[in-house]
Amino acid sequence: MLTACASTEPAQDTSDYDPLEPVNRVVHGVNGAVDFMVLYPAAMWYRDIAPEPVKTSVASFVRNINEPLNSFNALLQGDPDQAAASFQRFIMNSTLGFLGFNDVASDFGIPYRREDFGQTLAHYGIGGGPYIVLPLLGPSNLRDTAGIGVDYVANPLTWGAQNSDTAEALYLGSVGLTALHYRYATINQLNELQKSSIDYYAALRSLYRQQRNQMIRNGGPSPEFAVEDESASFDFDDAVEAASQ
């Protein structure tokens, strides 16, 4: 597929192609109900009760648990330097940083950069395809949904959880902490988006496209041909970065 579809430029999605909108809106509504009953109350409790050092440690752990995948995807994208940096971060933070709860690698000048297989596919010019709202996971598209599947299979914890009770507990704990952290990181911004949007579903769909395009560019400026919808300018990565400080 990479050989057939690859181009010389990373794919940038410039439209909210949504042929599955009726189904997506139903899933969006169910996800919203689950969020209202479970994730949002947990995130509010976490925001109000947990001390700042705990929040910083959780943010560091969530990042560290993904470093093997970051390294793997950077290598697939032809960036061995970044692959080595992500792997080095994982080793340093998992040992000196006590399982990643302390980001000592950043103190040594090795910054974090997230990479996933959806970004890898986009790096080779594969467009996002139709917008998809996944149960519980939320906004995605056809390319990134395939990327989630590949990352799940490639994750060492996925295999370890099948053979070790300790690895299984670590995997399940990482899933729970990741969900809690990302929901906490976006509380205020998503509340504001929901209040200010005539159609929250459409605003979130546009927001997802913008956020994924920025991740594909690794935070670089938007190419001249990319036409962005300015109706929703909040970026998830900015929120996560702010929450981790």
Side-chain angles (χ1 to χ4, degrees):
M1 180 172 62
L2 291 177
T3 303
C5 302
S7 75
T8 57
E9 295 290 339
Q12 294 287 299
D13 303 316
T14 59
S15 66
D16 296 319
Y17 178 50
D18 191 4
L20 302 175
E21 183 171 347
V23 176
N24 283 337
R25 284 186 178 271
V26 172
V27 179
H28 170 78
V30 173
N31 287 349
V34 173
D35 178 71
F36 178 77
M37 292 185 293
V38 180
L39 281 178
Y40 183 73
M44 290 293 290
W45 172 86
Y46 179 69
R47 185 191 68 176
D48 296 336
I49 301 299
E52 286 303 319
V54 171
K55 295 172 186 174
T56 300
S57 294
V58 169
S60 178
F61 175 82
V62 167
R63 287 184 166 191
N64 188 64
I65 208 73
N66 287 320
E67 290 291 15
L69 289 176
N70 295 338
S71 180
F72 171 69
N73 282 291
L75 190 62
L76 290 181
Q77 294 171 29
D79 191 348
D81 291 339
Q82 181 59 43
S86 294
F87 185 72
Q88 187 176 8
R89 281 181 54 86
F90 179 70
I91 297 299
M92 293 179 65
N93 288 343
S94 297
T95 53
L96 300 177
F98 301 102
L99 296 180
F101 285 103
N102 292 290
D103 188 0
V104 296
S106 291
D107 295 336
F108 281 90
I110 309 175
Y112 175 82
R113 194 173 92 186
R114 178 181 169 183
E115 300 288 352
D116 57 54
F117 196 73
Q119 290 172 257
T120 298
L121 294 176
H123 174 80
Y124 288 100
I126 298 175
Y131 179 71
I132 299 173
V133 180
L134 299 174
L136 299 182
L137 297 180
S140 186
N141 56 42
L142 184 59
R143 177 197 62 214
D144 293 341
T145 299
I148 291 172
V150 172
D151 284 336
Y152 174 78
V153 173
N155 191 338
L157 280 179
T158 301
W159 298 94
Q162 299 176 6
N163 303 302
S164 168
D165 291 340
T166 301
E168 182 179 15
L170 181 61
Y171 175 74
L172 294 176
S174 69
V175 171
L177 284 178
T178 298
L180 178 63
H181 170 69
Y182 278 96
R183 189 60 186 95
Y184 152 71
T186 57
I187 286 176
N188 294 333
Q189 291 84 355
L190 290 184
N191 283 349
E192 288 300 318
L193 182 67
Q194 193 166 18
K195 291 177 182 178
S196 61
S197 301
I198 298 176
D199 185 347
Y200 180 54
Y201 169 85
L204 199 59
R205 178 182 60 196
S206 180
L207 182 62
Y208 176 78
R209 172 176 56 84
Q210 294 178 36
Q211 181 254 348
R212 287 301 290 173
N213 281 342
Q214 185 179 49
M215 290 182 66
I216 291 166
R217 300 191 303 267
N218 293 318
S222 178
E224 294 182 1
F225 60 82
V227 179
E228 298 288 353
D229 181 353
E230 299 298 335
S231 63
S233 59
F234 159 64
D235 179 79
F236 279 100
D237 280 353
D238 289 344
V240 172
E241 183 67 25
S244 67
Q245 297 300 318

